[in-house]
Amino acid sequence: MEAVFRLWSNVEHFPRFMSHVRRVEALEGRRLSWKTLPGSPVQHAGTVLFQEDPQGGTRVDIRLSYNPVAGALGHAVATLLGENPRQQMDRDLLRMKTFIEQGAPAA
């Protein structure tokens, strides 16, 4: 769990596995939160909570909210194009997992 949290809490690593992230602040020992700046094209915010798994792994609980451009229509278009935040987060998490396990992000 410590290795996973260290990776997430080290902002220098974020460009290696997370798209569209510029800055992250650690708020407490096992939680990270973010929000977009005013005027960002897509307003979003989220929290990541790290917990030890009974099998010795790490459980990563992510809460994400966003306001898509053009509301529900914008969300539908983003989904069709594979660019809604959940799809992006899923891809980012896979890259993070590969980075943790292999020391390099997925190609």
Side-chain angles (χ1 to χ4, degrees):
M1 183 176 92
E2 293 300 321
V4 174
F5 182 77
R6 275 195 310 273
L7 175 66
W8 273 79
S9 61
N10 187 343
V11 178
E12 294 171 9
H13 292 299
F14 271 61
R16 295 181 180 180
F17 61 84
M18 289 196 75
S19 56
H20 309 292
V21 174
R22 300 290 183 266
R23 182 173 148 233
V24 176
E25 294 179 28
L27 297 178
E28 48 185 86
R30 300 290 175 253
R31 182 182 311 264
L32 298 172
S33 295
W34 71 89
K35 66 179 178 177
T36 53
L37 297 173
S40 295
V42 177
Q43 295 290 311
H44 61 89
T47 298
V48 181
L49 176 63
F50 303 88
Q51 299 172 332
E52 289 191 35
D53 182 281
Q55 289 79 33
T58 302
R59 177 183 168 87
V60 180
D61 182 32
I62 300 172
R63 306 292 169 127
L64 176 67
S65 64
Y66 80 106
N67 296 317
V69 175
L73 178 60
H75 175 76
V77 170
T79 299
L80 288 173
L81 298 175
E83 292 299 325
N84 80 43
R86 180 179 178 123
Q87 291 168 318
Q88 290 175 354
M89 181 65 74
D90 288 345
R91 289 191 302 264
D92 291 343
L93 289 172
L94 286 173
R95 283 192 295 275
M96 181 190 79
K97 183 177 187 295
T98 300
F99 182 69
I100 290 169
E101 294 173 349
Q102 300 176 10

